[in-house]
């Protein structure tokens, strides 16, 4: 007689049945599905996805601290968080929104065009949110205040950035579209970098004993810088092009300009750092198109 192999019966999960005889989903699966639905309904899933994308864009040295700061700044984006209606409350809310917009603008360098433009859009949305006594939209007063905050926090001398602000500011009650907002933010950040590079250049020219640079040498370098900016006029209206043109100022051209200045040097008034920066910034600002 052939041996009969006894097989252990396969255990099949038994589904529950309702009173009407229809099978029901297991309780564990139902709970998991309801939890996932809840996270999606309240926006947590989308919020976490957006936060992770920001980490990938910025690639910070400390991602955990970055995320903590990101979530700390999440609260003011919704228009539901409008002001209390009293001027002090509105002022505080406005300052908070400006701080949060500035934080988003600094997440990516202006050279990272896609990430920077995305962050500009988020900052614009944050500042455009309406409150109880504020209609949605960005006015010129808020836009101009943000420009001033960027320049002040960038530690650029006021007399250096004032001419730029006069060019790209809007009137207080003027509606500011996203395109103007984006151009103004980019121009402001590029100017700050341009001034920082000019400051580094001045340190190379500075006489440690006098804490100043020879005027002829300084002017020769400025003339060479102006020539480099003139060569970047093929893409007029793009501030980053002028920054790139200035960075292409090669050591050979600088050395030649300085040699000519040294040969023709005569006793004169030294050029201070403030004067050098102001003249260098003026070369850049002259290329910027005014708003309107």
């Amino acid at each position: 007689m052939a041996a009969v192999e006894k097989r252990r019966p396969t255990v099949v999960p038994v589904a529950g049945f309702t009173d009407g005889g229809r099978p029901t989903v297991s309780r564990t699966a139902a709970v998991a599905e309801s939890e996932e639905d809840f996270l999606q309904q309240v926006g947590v899933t989308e919020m976490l996805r957006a936060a992770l994308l920001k980490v990938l864009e910025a690639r910070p040295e400390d991602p955990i601290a970055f995320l903590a700061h990101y979530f700390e700044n999440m609260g003011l984006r919704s228009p539901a968080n409008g002001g209390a209606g009293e001027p002090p409350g509105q002022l505080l809310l406005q300052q908070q929104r400006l701080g949060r917009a500035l934080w988003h603008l600094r997440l990516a360098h202006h050279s990272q065009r896609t990430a920077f433009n995305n962050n500009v859009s988020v900052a614009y949305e944050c500042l455009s949110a309406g409150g109880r006594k504020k209609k949605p939209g960005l006015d010129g007063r808020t836009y101009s205040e943000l420009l001033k905050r960027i320049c002040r926090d960038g530690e650029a001398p006021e007399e250096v950035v004032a001419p730029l602000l006069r060019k790209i500011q809007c009137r207080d009650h003027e509606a500011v579209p996203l395109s103007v907002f984006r151009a103004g933010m980019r121009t402001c950040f590029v100017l700050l970098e341009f001034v920082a590079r000019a400051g580094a250049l001045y340190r190379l020219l500075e006489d440690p004993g006098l804490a100043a640079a020879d005027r002829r040498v300084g002017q020769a370098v400025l003339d060479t810088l102006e020539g480099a900016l003139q060569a970047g006029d093929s893409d007029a209206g793009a501030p980053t092009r002028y920054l790139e043109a200035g960075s292409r100022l090669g050591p050979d051209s600088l050395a030649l300009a300085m040699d000519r200045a040294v040969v023709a040097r005569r006793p004169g008034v030294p050029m201070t750092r403030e004067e050098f920066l102001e003249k260098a910034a003026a070369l850049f600002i002259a290329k910027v198109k005014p708003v309107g």
Side-chain angles (χ1 to χ4, degrees):
M1 179 182 294
V4 178
E5 180 182 359
K6 293 185 179 180
R7 297 183 180 180
R8 180 177 298 177
T10 304
V11 179
V12 180
V14 179
F17 290 86
T18 62
D19 293 340
R22 291 174 301 177
T24 61
V25 182
S26 68
R27 182 174 181 180
T28 302
V31 170
E33 184 176 355
S34 65
E35 289 175 347
E36 183 178 353
D37 290 342
F38 171 76
L39 293 176
Q40 291 180 346
Q41 289 173 5
V42 299
V44 172
T45 303
E46 185 62 31
M47 180 183 65
L48 291 175
R49 183 181 295 112
L52 293 177
L53 287 176
K54 290 297 181 185
V55 172
L56 292 175
E57 287 180 358
R59 298 188 180 275
E61 294 182 1
D62 188 348
I64 303 302
F66 177 90
L67 285 172
H69 199 177
Y70 177 84
F71 289 122
E72 182 181 350
N73 283 273
M74 284 294 295
L76 295 173
R77 184 171 182 177
S78 172
N81 292 309
E86 297 296 331
Q90 288 290 90
L91 180 61
L92 176 60
L93 178 65
Q94 183 71 357
Q95 293 302 315
Q96 290 175 329
R97 282 176 170 167
L98 284 170
R100 184 171 181 271
L102 188 57
W103 182 80
H104 276 286
L105 291 170
R106 288 172 171 166
L107 286 178
H109 190 265
H110 59 78
S111 61
Q112 298 174 275
R113 184 174 294 272
T114 301
F116 182 80
N117 287 342
N118 289 339
N119 294 333
V120 167
S121 298
V122 174
Y124 183 84
E125 180 184 344
C126 173
L127 295 174
S128 301
R132 295 180 181 178
K133 292 191 176 182
K134 180 181 180 297
K135 295 181 180 179
L138 180 61
D139 56 37
R141 183 176 183 178
T142 303
Y143 164 71
S144 299
E145 179 62 26
L146 182 59
L147 290 175
K148 293 176 183 177
R149 284 278 299 270
I150 292 173
C151 293
R152 184 174 68 245
D153 294 349
E155 299 181 355
E158 183 177 353
E159 61 274 8
V160 170
V161 299
L164 175 70
L165 294 179
R166 286 194 293 268
K167 258 191 169 184
I168 63 177
Q169 281 180 340
C170 297
R171 289 184 289 271
D172 284 355
H173 300 290
E174 185 177 358
V176 181
L178 177 59
S179 58
V180 172
F181 181 80
R182 182 187 299 114
M185 296 301 109
R186 181 181 297 277
T187 302
C188 207
F189 278 111
V190 171
L191 174 67
L192 291 178
E193 185 170 345
F194 187 88
V195 171
R197 294 188 184 186
L201 183 59
Y202 180 83
R203 286 193 292 272
L204 298 176
L205 310 176
E206 189 177 22
D207 184 340
L210 299 176
D214 181 271
R215 178 167 296 276
R216 289 184 178 274
V217 175
Q219 189 59 53
V221 172
L222 289 171
D223 292 342
T224 307
L225 177 59
E226 183 177 13
L229 293 177
Q230 295 286 356
D233 274 341
S234 58
D235 190 10
T240 52
R241 291 297 183 186
Y242 300 124
L243 186 63
E244 293 169 3
S247 66
R248 288 198 296 268
L249 210 60
D252 292 340
S253 59
L254 277 177
L256 183 60
M258 293 172 67
D259 286 343
R260 287 199 303 264
V262 170
V263 170
R265 187 189 309 190
R266 297 174 185 173
V269 180
M271 178 177 288
T272 63
R273 179 179 181 275
E274 291 72 19
E275 181 184 358
F276 183 85
L277 293 183
E278 191 170 348
K279 289 185 174 183
L283 296 175
F284 174 89
I285 296 172
K287 307 292 184 181
V288 177
K289 293 182 179 180
V291 172

